[in-house]
Amino acid sequence: SRPRSLCSPQGFLYAAPVREQGNIYKPNNKMMADELSEKAVHDVHTKEIDLVNRDPKHLNDDVVKIDFEDVIAEPEGTHSFDGIWKASFTTFTVTKYWFYRLLSAIFGIPMALIWGIYFAILSFLHIWAVVPCIRSYLIEIQCISRVYSICIHTFCDPLFEAIGKVFSSIRATVRKEI
């Protein structure tokens, strides 16, 4: 029926080529499997976050690191009772801690959603509008730049060379009189 050269050993027409490394979904060698697992680890959407150091780039070091001593201080000679001072410290610290947690629990996810949308729009505009406009402008201005350069070299260069030759014959000497 069909020529033997067009058929695979199983009798199928045009068998799928077999690669030594296997396909990308089921690699049959260790090196390719390791490469795929490394790529999966570097996915930004599934990366693990550090639950201990939550500000690794130190964005808020100078802004919201406020302790009791940064807000309330009693100068020398004006001290409240020690028990009141300790209770005030504990009240301030615990209130700040738990109220922040409460606000984070209520507004954290909605704010993350809003900021995610905002930065997605910002990225989209930058990638699809700002950079192409700037590149387009640079391409278009290059033509004007060349015409401007030709005009400067044609008209200004000879003028400035002539003026330079006129003033090159002037000699100035400086004498110091005592």
Side-chain angles (χ1 to χ4, degrees), residues 36-79:
L36 286 175
S37 65
E38 284 178 17
K39 289 178 187 173
V41 169
H42 296 296
D43 183 16
V44 294
H45 303 294
T46 59
K47 72 177 185 177
E48 289 192 31
I49 60 172
D50 187 358
L51 293 176
V52 176
N53 182 13
R54 296 187 184 189
D55 190 8
K57 295 183 180 180
H58 306 287
L59 296 176
N60 295 309
D61 277 354
D62 57 341
V63 180
V64 293
K65 267 183 131 172
I66 307 239
D67 289 327
F68 181 74
E69 298 83 15
D70 298 326
V71 178
I72 299 171
E74 293 181 332
E76 196 62 43
T78 309
H79 288 185

Side-chain angles (χ1 to χ4, degrees), residues 42-125:
H42 296 296
D43 183 16
V44 294
H45 303 294
T46 59
K47 72 177 185 177
E48 289 192 31
I49 60 172
D50 187 358
L51 293 176
V52 176
N53 182 13
R54 296 187 184 189
D55 190 8
K57 295 183 180 180
H58 306 287
L59 296 176
N60 295 309
D61 277 354
D62 57 341
V63 180
V64 293
K65 267 183 131 172
I66 307 239
D67 289 327
F68 181 74
E69 298 83 15
D70 298 326
V71 178
I72 299 171
E74 293 181 332
E76 196 62 43
T78 309
H79 288 185
S80 61
F81 295 110
D82 291 345
I84 299 295
W85 187 250
K86 288 178 185 178
S88 299
F89 171 80
T90 303
T91 304
F92 176 88
T93 306
V94 170
T95 303
K96 182 181 119 185
Y97 177 78
W98 282 105
F99 199 75
Y100 175 79
R101 287 187 137 199
L102 177 67
L103 288 173
S104 296
I106 295 170
F107 298 110
I109 292 175
M111 291 302 294
L113 178 68
I114 290 168
W115 285 114
I117 291 169
Y118 172 77
F119 282 109
I121 291 169
L122 191 67
S123 298
F124 175 82
L125 289 175

Side-chain angles (χ1 to χ4, degrees), residues 18-22 28-29:
V18 177
R19 296 178 13 178
E20 290 179 18
Q21 297 176 338
N28 63 6
N29 70 9

